[in-house]
Amino acid sequence: MHRVTVGFLGCGNVGGGAYDIIQRNREEIALRDGIEIVVKRVLVRDLNKVRRSSCPREIMTTSASDVLDDPEISIVAEFLGGIEPSRTYILKALNAGKTVVTANKAVLSSCWSELETAAASNGVGLYYDASVAGGIPVLKNLDYCLQANRIDSLVGIINGTTNFILTKIADEGMSYENALKLAQEKGLAEADPTMDVSGMDVVYKLSILASLAFDCHIPIEAIYRQGIAAITPDDIRFGASLGLTLKLLAVAKRTQTGIEAHVHPTFIPDTHPLAGIRGAFNAVFLNGNAVGDIMLYGKGAGALPTGSSVVSDIITAASAKTHRYSSFLLKDVRAKLTEEWESCFYIRLTVCDEPGVLASIATILSRYGISVASCVQHNANDGTAPLVFLVHRVSNIAMRSAIDEIARLPEVKAVNNTIPVEY
Ligand code: HSE
């Protein structure tokens, strides 16, 4: 039996979940992997806080050095979240010859090269499967199962809170505000849900996921982002009448001009495998040039699902003879990113219900080479009417320019939403 001594930085939801899994599945892990995991010290902010986890108070400490400077601890699992002090603690652990396991997408996506370089130069490991899609081993699959492939595209639902909100709006016609409130009451969304609803949480995760998938560094600043706050039940209802389901998607593709990476609400056909991903679940749909389409589905958050990925990383790290490094980071291979990408689009306008409006809009669309696939006018009210267009594939930049011009037409009262459609 190989005994591995671990220190935890943090014991919140995920840290507590990882601790409980280690205790609960001790026999299975010992039998299968020949490893005994001993959690020796756990850094917490408040020793007296009541916790759901079975982690005993005696191993808790408020001093990071009890974890980072203990020579017996060979693996440090970081659960603090955010960039500092996580970055400083992770670097300290790596430089002290300890392997680090982290669930922290913010520190990883923001300081990845620095952390990977520190791990490689010290000959220790940096493991982060839990940082993307919680319990779904999507990063591990890229590293250990799909290496035979060149990945050409990935599309994912990798934020459970927003998927829960969009599902509630779609199924129950709830307003965005009420669906968000419910997500908060259920403990899904944070008290400050900005990271989730703005799409920033997805940007962090897509930066990590797409960099690994395409073997080049895709920094967070390079990813186009649009959140879900402007979505209304009307959009979801109008989309449904066209056979479309709305999801907040992370999209990354290899194209002839480079890599495109973007995060935004997106309509997909009701028949698309991602359309059936409901509530707080996550899924990642990948295409590899050998395997073809493959989809991974599961819980993207929560104490035990995310803890499952963390404990798996601890076992992988403890079993490894040598550690794997992302060579694109060590060799500083940067993505050739393209800001221009193509998509079909859904456009919802509020227009004056009078002759010539459609012609004015169509003239602008045609000037930008944008071809209309369908146009539906919904019930007029007080002389204005919602007008919904679906347009064929066009560059996002041409679409934006056309929309700016359409918004200036006096007959157009509002451009309510412009949403990409992925077929
Ligand atoms: N807040 C995230 C979500 C989980 O709702 O999926 C942590 O990344």
Side-chain angles (χ1 to χ4, degrees):
M1 184 74 60
H2 172 41
R3 186 183 159 106
V4 56
T5 306
V6 178
F8 278 15
L9 298 173
C11 193
N13 197 28
V14 177
Y19 186 88
D20 290 346
I21 292 169
I22 289 167
Q23 309 315 317
R24 191 187 299 178
N25 296 343
R26 177 171 297 282
E27 282 176 21
E28 287 80 355
I29 294 168
L31 177 68
R32 193 186 309 121
D33 299 289
I35 288 172
E36 184 195 1
I37 303 170
V38 177
V39 181
K40 186 175 176 191
R41 297 312 301 265
V42 173
L43 174 70
V44 295
R45 271 195 206 99
D46 177 2
L47 290 170
N48 298 316
K49 187 174 166 186
V50 178
R51 293 165 203 277
R52 252 181 296 164
S53 161
S54 59
C55 184
R57 198 174 178 283
E58 306 80 73
I59 65 169
M60 292 183 185
T61 171
T62 54
S63 163
S65 85
D66 285 344
V67 174
L68 298 171
D69 297 327
D70 183 332
E72 205 193 347
I73 290 175
S74 60
I75 297 181
V76 170
E78 187 269 329
F79 306 100
L80 299 173
I83 295 175
E84 285 294 356
S86 299
R87 173 184 158 274
T88 303
Y89 289 168
I90 292 173
L91 284 172
K92 199 165 178 215
L94 295 171
N95 289 329
K98 301 180 193 304
T99 281
V100 171
V101 171
T102 180
N104 183 340
K105 68 217 154 214
V107 76
L108 193 67
S109 58
S110 307
C111 314
W112 196 359
S113 294
E114 183 185 26
L115 302 180
E116 192 86 10
T117 304
S121 59
N122 288 291
V124 292
L126 177 66
Y127 292 78
Y128 40 79
D129 191 47
S131 66
V132 176
I136 309 176
V138 60
L139 304 185
K140 266 216 175 68
N141 268 274
L142 284 170
D143 270 349
Y144 296 100
C145 308
L146 294 169
Q147 315 95 305
N149 289 264
R150 185 194 68 212
I151 303 294
D152 288 325
S153 71
L154 70 87
V155 187
I157 296 170
I158 48 177
N159 183 274
T161 303
T162 48
N163 202 51
F164 174 87
I165 292 171
L166 293 176
T167 305
K168 282 287 166 193
I169 300 175
D171 288 359
E172 297 170 31
M174 239 181 219
S175 67
Y176 165 79
E177 290 73 20
N178 286 344
L180 172 58
K181 200 160 153 268
L182 186 62
Q184 283 169 320
E185 282 163 12
K186 285 185 167 293
L188 287 170
E190 305 292 328
D192 175 4
T194 316
M195 292 296 277
D196 292 316
V197 300
S198 69
M200 199 58 214
D201 175 78
V202 180
V203 166
Y204 284 142
K205 293 169 180 168
L206 181 61
S207 163
I208 300 166
L209 180 58
S211 295
L212 279 182
F214 300 125
D215 287 310
C216 52
H217 190 206
I218 302 173
I220 50 178
E221 308 77 46
I223 299 177
Y224 170 83
R225 170 176 62 88
Q226 193 187 327
I228 64 161
I231 297 299
T232 66
D234 278 351
D235 290 308
I236 293 188
R237 199 159 42 83
F238 295 156
S241 70
L242 298 163
L244 300 171
T245 300
L246 190 73
K247 296 291 181 191
L248 178 65
L249 290 191
V251 179
K253 292 181 185 166
R254 192 188 294 279
T255 71
Q256 282 177 344
T257 47
I259 304 286
E260 56 176 69
H262 28 108
V263 170
H264 40 70
T266 313
F267 277 115
I268 49 178
D270 295 341
T271 49
H272 190 290
L274 289 175
I277 309 305
R278 303 164 61 73
F281 278 87
N282 282 197
V284 180
F285 188 78
L286 297 152
N287 181 274
N289 67 347
V291 73
D293 288 341
I294 185 165
M295 187 162 98
L296 299 156
Y297 165 84
K299 290 193 174 147
L304 295 180
T306 310
S308 158
S309 292
V310 169
V311 177
S312 165
D313 271 354
I314 293 174
I315 295 167
T316 307
S319 318
K321 291 198 173 60
T322 55
H323 301 288
R324 250 186 100 95
Y325 302 105
S326 294
S327 52
F328 64 87
L329 287 171
L330 304 183
K331 293 179 184 160
D332 196 21
V333 180
R334 297 176 198 199
K336 181 169 174 282
L337 285 150
T338 167
E339 278 180 30
E340 187 158 17
W341 38 271
E342 283 196 350
S343 178
C344 300
F345 284 90
Y346 156 105
I347 306 159
R348 176 163 71 91
L349 310 172
T350 303
V351 301
C352 297
D353 190 18
E354 57 191 38
V357 178
L358 205 50
S360 311
I361 296 167
T363 304
I364 296 175
L365 291 174
S366 117
R367 200 160 351 101
Y368 284 93
I370 300 172
S371 170
V372 175
S374 74
C375 171
V376 182
Q377 179 174 318
H378 292 268
N379 290 343
N381 187 10
D382 291 339
T384 64
L387 199 54
V388 172
F389 288 89
L390 282 185
V391 301
H392 289 297
R393 280 183 85 76
V394 59
S395 105
N396 59 324
I397 294 174
M399 189 73 253
R400 200 178 321 133
S401 306
I403 286 296
D404 287 348
E405 230 178 279
I406 289 169
R408 290 198 291 272
L409 289 172
E411 317 84 294
V412 172
K413 294 299 160 206
V415 175
N416 304 98
N417 256 317
T418 308
I419 301 175
V421 183
E422 282 277 327
Y423 286 102

